[in-house]
Amino acid sequence: MSDTIKIRKGLNIKLAGAPEPRLCDGFQATSYALRPDDFPGLVPRVLVHEGDVVQAGTALFCDKNRPRVLFTSPVSGRVEAVVRGPRRKLLAVVVSGDDRGKSESFPVADPLALSRDEVCDVLLRSGLWPSLIQRPYGIIAQPGDVPRDIFISAFDSAPLAPDHAFVLKDEAADFQAGVHALSRLTSGKVHLGLPAGRPDYAFLGAIQGLTCHYFQGPHPAGNVGIQIHHIAPVNKGEVVWTVHPQEVVLMGRLFLRGVCDFSLLLAVTGAEAPVTPAYYRVIRGSSVRWLTARSADGAPRRYISGNVLTGNRLDADGFLGYYDHQITVLPEGGEPEFLGWMMPGMNKFSFWKMFPAFLMPGKQYRPDTRLNGGHRAFVFSGVYEKVVPMDLLPVHLLKASLAGNVELMEQLGIYEVIEEDLALCEVICPSKMEVQKMLRQGIDLMIREMS
Amino acid sequence: MLMRMKFLRDYLDKAKPHFQKGGKLHVFHSTFDAFETFLFVPAATTPPQGAHFRDAVDMKRSMSVVILALMPALLFGMFNVGYQQMLASGEVRTLLENFMFGLWKVLPLIVVSYVVGLGIEFAVAQVRGHEVNEGFLVTGMLIPLILPVDTPLWMVALATAFSVIFVKEIFGGTGMNIWNPALVTRAFIFFAYPSVISGDSVWVTGLRKGMDTVDGFSGATPLAEATASVTSGLSGSDLLRDLPSMWDMFLGLIPGSVGETSTLCILLGAFVLLFTGVASWKTMLSVFAGGAFMGLIFNLVGGSAYMELPFYYHFVMGGFAFGAVFMATDPVSSAQTETGKWIFGFLVGLLSVLIRVANPAYPEGMMLAILFMNTMVPLIDHYVVHAHIRRRLKRAHVQA
């Protein structure tokens, strides 16, 4: 049980603005939104009209191809807008919340006493089903599938990531119930990836019904995909599911209390954040206006729903992404830099020893969003391998993806990876490749060809 | 500094509209772009999805590190051009005078190589609508370093043009080429104009034009002497006596191509490349391993003076070290897989010693060994990738 899996490749990027381990008050939102774009490949069908009164757990839209998969309102209130873009593409369903906290009701039950179908049904109806991610492809799990195993990574190793030991410390009971629910869904085990040498995570190791694995090493050791690869890799024809630990808590809460309570702990991070970098209690899909409106000094900032490696840029009146438990703030852009490629660059972050960054291993960086160079063809080889702790040939996989070679992608392990697993490649690439976009292009093709 | 920077920025911003679509200088937009991005790293930002910040390293930075790594070999090469000429002519000059003498001999080669190569790069970037790639900054510096100092400039121009067009641009530019462009430039001259790049009279400037030399001066490179020993039936100990001392060869005080002679300076460059991670230590190390392996086999078999030559002599003679450090490690034309790099490098080293010793027609085996192995890279990578795929499949069967 206490076998530690050592991850050697990877990179911890130290940025300034890590969240302080305390819960701050004051995050306010009155409108909440669910956006289909948060779910790769989803074709939504809207189930409500503007002005409809909804409760927490009332379905707003469903998956057109799998109508049992519902996307439900995180709060009680009124549908404020059904926002459509060009060609009537659904962009968001916005709900303005009232403070009555009404929720659809679900049976209060010990998930272990329920049948698999009953557990599925509750998760589907409550709108928590989309929290189950299937690997391959990183898309919403198929209700009909029985996954080989379910994997949870208890820790997040990305830059400025929330510390789950803090986030989950008061949620052990809900987490336990969630794990029980998950254990009904798989024919195999529920695996939990824990950080080695962190006694503050021990309470999670004590949860019943889990198989624990300990990981040591730099990011992406906390990525569930990397953990799966080292515990029991996904081969062709196999399906496993992954869940974020905070979602496990939401599931447990649903079964223990019978109501939809989609509140979670959000880490606001980044040295540029207009509030203290710390944890805030918010409800899924909250408007981020409260935060963005505070940028009074006018310095351009980028608000990111998620972390700096994989997140999405937020508009000033944007909403927290469905899967995101973190908002990161970076300085946006900057001036063109005179002979920047030639200058010593004392304050610049770099993986390479071409900048003096390696002389200051403890330094916390405050990078801005500049690309720091132009797009080029692949020139260097063996670079991505240094930050991908898997038996994988990243560049060959990406080239197969660009070429649309389905068979080769399959052979090279497309089933094992999603964007976050190769995100570090994108950061360190001297050719400034958009690695994650290239990978998703291949995954989208796989979904089209294999279904 | 700040003032000048501001002035430049304003100037560029003022000039920019002329080069944009619809402007009267639009045909030169790639050229403008290249100079603008050279002067100012652009402020373009990351896309709204994906990684939101990027490493400070870009292609300009990495390529300038390679140039930096070439500096010791280049500066020493300039000195050595003068020094060799001094030895041949019997003139007496100081160290600095030798350097200045060599500088004026080498500079035209550098200028021609850059002007021709970059000219073509700019033109092609223009036609294709690409940004100008930095790859040629390195190639253009490598070319003069691997040629005899007296190579006629028009040949350098012709060979560079051939190489940039037919070896690089035709395949899609930097990153797409199969062979090392700098080596093809040399190979072009080697096969088209053999008289300027082989023999005993090309390595020291002036000899080909019939300069008077001091008595007993041969001008032959150690490699040529070693090759000649095979036909003349010299014994092993005679050959060792005839060759320059190991120390001289290591320092580089021997005739040869401009930048290839000083193993010491090349090792300084190797340190820069390896420390910064720009070149693969696997490739570099395995080239030396392959050369040592083949050399040791010859040592064991014996039979001629050349075969009995201690294997480490190969490292300091001719272009072996230069090829191992700067040519075999070219990330584009070398193997793309990590296992492939071991195989590629090992065979480069092995073949180059094999060609040197076994084929008297080609005293310098390094160029041909690398070009041949460049050709074999897709094959090596193919097998490495398929071994990887088989391993993945096996994993699936074991699990099932």
Side-chain angles (χ1 to χ4, degrees):
Chain A
M1 167 186 151
S2 61
D3 277 350
T4 301
I5 298 170
K6 287 202 175 78
I7 303 286
R8 291 208 164 72
K9 297 168 172 183
L11 174 65
N12 279 332
I13 301 174
K14 296 186 189 70
L15 303 184
E20 293 171 21
R22 63 192 173 92
L23 188 58
C24 291
D25 293 327
F27 196 103
Q28 295 155 1
T30 50
S31 58
Y32 304 83
L34 240 51
R35 304 181 325 116
D37 280 351
D38 286 347
F39 312 95
L42 175 73
V43 185
R45 180 198 287 151
V46 184
L47 302 174
V48 289
H49 296 99
E50 285 181 15
D52 285 1
V53 174
V54 292
Q55 300 179 333
T58 307
L60 300 178
F61 54 88
C62 70
D63 184 340
K64 204 167 193 169
N65 302 317
R66 302 173 291 180
R68 291 181 70 202
V69 178
L70 300 179
F71 301 83
T72 60
S73 173
V75 291
S76 69
R78 187 179 290 275
V79 177
E80 186 181 307
V82 176
V83 187
R84 290 185 184 275
R87 299 166 71 192
R88 290 188 52 75
K89 183 187 169 189
L90 180 65
L91 296 182
V93 177
V94 184
V95 176
S96 62
D98 54 31
D99 292 328
R100 286 183 293 176
K102 290 212 296 195
S103 165
E104 304 278 344
S105 61
F106 296 90
V108 177
D110 176 6
L112 284 178
L114 297 175
S115 72
R116 181 175 192 276
D117 284 347
E118 285 167 326
V119 173
C120 283
D121 187 59
V122 171
L123 291 177
L124 282 162
R125 281 196 295 129
S126 65
L128 271 179
W129 186 268
S131 301
L132 297 168
I133 309 290
Q134 93 167 38
R135 179 101 34 152
Y137 310 144
I139 53 175
I140 298 171
Q142 294 280 1
D145 283 349
V146 178
R148 191 197 72 196
D149 293 294
I150 294 178
F151 292 86
I152 307 163
S153 170
F155 66 110
D156 190 339
S157 52
L160 300 179
D163 180 3
H164 289 159
F166 174 81
V167 170
L168 302 175
K169 69 178 191 311
D170 298 327
E171 315 277 4
D174 289 351
F175 192 83
Q176 175 69 75
V179 169
H180 282 326
L182 292 174
S183 67
R184 302 298 293 153
L185 299 176
T186 171
S187 56
K189 295 173 178 164
V190 181
H191 297 275
L192 182 72
L194 289 159
R198 286 286 300 270
D200 47 346
Y201 275 87
F203 71 100
L204 288 174
I207 301 277
Q208 288 168 6
L210 287 170
T211 310
C212 294
H213 307 268
Y214 293 83
F215 290 86
Q216 188 179 38
H219 184 67
N223 278 10
V224 70
I226 306 298
Q227 299 180 359
I228 298 172
H229 181 82
H230 288 275
I231 296 168
V234 183
N235 296 305
K236 187 187 179 183
E238 295 175 338
V239 171
V240 303
W241 291 354
T242 67
V243 201
H244 189 275
Q246 285 219 51
E247 304 296 324
V248 179
V249 170
L250 296 188
M251 289 175 189
R253 215 180 273 163
L254 174 68
F255 284 99
L256 290 183
R257 297 191 214 146
V259 293
C260 286
D261 177 358
F262 293 153
S263 71
L264 37 86
L265 282 198
L266 174 77
V268 176
T269 61
E272 308 298 315
V275 296
T276 319
Y279 299 88
Y280 294 82
R281 187 159 285 283
V282 301
I283 295 175
R284 165 128 66 217
S286 287
S287 160
V288 295
R289 258 223 98 79
W290 174 80
L291 199 61
T292 56
R294 286 170 176 248
S295 309
D297 57 0
R301 294 187 170 109
R302 179 180 293 200
Y303 290 85
I304 300 159
S305 181
N307 65 43
V308 286
L309 298 181
T310 58
N312 290 310
R313 188 174 69 194
L314 284 165
D315 296 332
D317 49 1
F319 298 89
L320 185 64
Y322 182 95
Y323 293 111
D324 297 325
H325 307 92
Q326 179 181 7
I327 286 180
T328 313
V329 190
L330 290 184
E332 178 76 280
E335 291 289 309
E337 198 179 355
F338 182 62
L339 294 180
W341 54 276
M342 202 196 267
M343 294 295 169
M346 297 305 283
N347 290 317
K348 289 181 177 167
F349 160 76
S350 183
F351 168 70
W352 302 74
K353 289 187 182 155
M354 293 184 234
F355 280 91
F358 69 92
L359 296 171
M360 304 165 275
K363 188 179 168 76
Q364 293 189 331
Y365 293 91
R366 302 175 67 152
D368 58 43
T369 59
R370 280 177 295 180
L371 270 177
N372 299 325
H375 292 289
R376 295 290 182 269
F378 280 115
V379 168
F380 291 100
S381 62
V383 176
Y384 293 0
E385 281 86 344
K386 290 179 186 163
V387 290
V388 180
M390 302 170 96
D391 182 17
L392 190 87
L393 299 172
V395 175
H396 289 82
L397 178 60
L398 291 169
K399 285 185 175 174
S401 164
L402 287 178
N405 188 336
V406 170
E407 193 188 4
L408 192 58
M409 278 194 275
E410 185 178 291
Q411 291 171 333
L412 292 174
I414 189 92
Y415 298 131
E416 287 196 68
V417 287
I418 61 171
E419 291 97 316
E420 62 176 18
D421 300 320
L422 298 188
L424 280 174
C425 304
E426 187 165 303
V427 173
I428 65 163
C429 184
S431 298
K432 311 294 172 188
M433 290 282 171
E434 289 181 20
V435 171
Q436 301 184 66
K437 195 172 156 191
M438 287 155 71
L439 181 66
R440 179 45 69 180
Q441 193 182 322
I443 292 175
D444 286 345
L445 181 68
M446 292 301 296
I447 295 172
R448 277 204 305 280
E449 293 285 321
M450 306 305 280
S451 60
Chain B
M1 185 70 173
L2 273 174
M3 283 304 292
R4 187 161 67 231
M5 178 184 131
K6 180 86 180 91
F7 156 75
L8 268 172
R9 187 67 248 171
D10 291 347
Y11 182 76
L12 284 172
D13 286 340
K14 216 163 79 188
K16 201 165 189 168
H18 297 302
F19 292 93
Q20 281 162 347
K21 222 170 181 110
K24 59 188 171 192
L25 294 173
H26 180 61
V27 279
F28 296 115
H29 75 87
S30 276
T31 314
F32 178 80
D33 203 65
F35 281 110
E36 191 193 5
T37 58
F38 178 87
L39 286 172
F40 291 92
V41 173
T45 54
T46 52
Q49 262 186 322
H52 292 270
F53 74 102
R54 298 297 171 87
D55 200 291
V57 162
D58 66 349
M59 212 47 80
K60 285 189 177 65
R61 184 77 168 196
S62 356
M63 292 301 150
S64 36
V65 166
V66 185
I67 304 262
L68 186 72
L70 282 167
M71 281 304 123
L74 172 72
L75 297 178
F76 182 87
M78 288 173 170
F79 158 76
N80 194 41
V81 165
Y83 179 73
Q84 292 300 324
Q85 202 270 352
M86 177 179 90
L87 290 186
S89 63
E91 292 170 33
V92 177
R93 283 197 294 263
T94 64
L95 191 146
L96 187 67
E97 283 167 346
N98 276 328
F99 176 79
M100 293 310 290
F101 181 93
L103 176 68
W104 289 114
K105 293 281 174 189
V106 177
L107 208 53
L109 292 175
I110 299 176
V111 170
V112 167
S113 140
Y114 270 132
V115 167
V116 172
L118 286 179
I120 296 171
E121 287 266 353
F122 275 66
V124 171
Q126 190 67 53
V127 171
R128 289 214 183 108
H130 285 178
E131 281 185 45
V132 176
N133 223 308
E134 290 82 1
F136 192 80
L137 293 179
V138 171
T139 311
M141 185 58 82
L142 287 171
I143 290 171
L145 292 182
I146 55 175
L147 291 176
V149 62
D150 271 356
T151 315
L153 294 179
W154 65 268
M155 277 183 209
V156 179
L158 188 67
T160 304
F162 171 84
S163 160
V164 172
I165 295 171
F166 290 101
V167 174
K168 199 153 91 174
E169 296 306 343
I170 268 196
F171 290 95
T174 302
M176 314 289 184
N177 46 302
I178 297 173
W179 296 285
N180 184 321
L183 274 182
V184 172
T185 306
R186 190 182 201 272
F188 182 88
I189 298 179
F190 185 83
F191 288 109
Y193 311 102
S195 66
V196 305
I197 202 167
S198 44
D200 289 350
S201 62
V202 303
W203 307 107
V204 177
T205 180
L207 281 190
R208 227 157 46 83
K209 300 214 176 82
M211 177 181 80
D212 288 332
T213 59
V214 295
D215 289 342
F217 184 85
S218 86
T221 62
L223 273 181
E225 288 181 41
T227 307
S229 75
V230 178
T231 38
S232 64
L234 230 56
S235 74
S237 54
D238 285 347
L239 175 61
L240 279 184
R241 195 198 56 224
D242 285 357
L243 284 176
S245 73
M246 185 76 191
W247 186 240
D248 277 356
M249 292 198 284
F250 179 75
L251 287 181
L253 300 167
I254 49 173
S257 300
V258 173
E260 71 173 16
T261 59
S262 172
T263 312
L264 175 68
C265 291
I266 293 165
L267 287 181
L268 283 177
F271 174 77
V272 173
L273 292 183
L274 294 182
F275 182 78
T276 53
V278 172
S280 162
W281 62 273
K282 293 173 188 166
T283 315
M284 224 182 265
L285 184 66
S286 55
V287 174
F288 284 102
F293 176 77
M294 196 66 229
L296 279 171
I297 289 186
F298 278 131
N299 288 170
L300 286 176
V301 175
S304 74
Y306 206 169
M307 289 167 92
E308 285 163 12
L309 187 69
F311 70 92
Y312 47 83
Y313 269 70
H314 284 286
F315 299 163
V316 294
M317 286 160 57
F320 191 96
F322 194 87
V325 171
F326 293 110
M327 294 293 181
T329 55
D330 167 19
V332 176
S333 56
S334 160
Q336 304 293 302
T337 53
E338 297 306 287
T339 320
K341 283 178 182 145
W342 290 111
I343 303 171
F344 170 82
F346 191 82
L347 290 178
V348 164
L350 185 150
L351 282 175
S352 78
V353 172
L354 181 68
I355 297 171
R356 280 180 174 187
V357 177
N359 187 343
Y362 299 121
E364 176 53 283
M366 201 60 184
M367 170 183 84
L368 294 170
I370 295 176
L371 286 176
F372 178 76
M373 287 314 297
N374 283 167
T375 316
M376 291 296 136
V377 156
L379 187 70
I380 297 173
D381 281 340
H382 175 84
Y383 281 109
V384 173
V385 170
H386 278 261
H388 171 81
I389 290 172
R390 269 199 306 280
R391 191 165 66 240
R392 300 189 75 90
L393 279 177
K394 208 164 137 194
R395 185 186 81 187
H397 292 313
V398 170
Q399 294 249 319

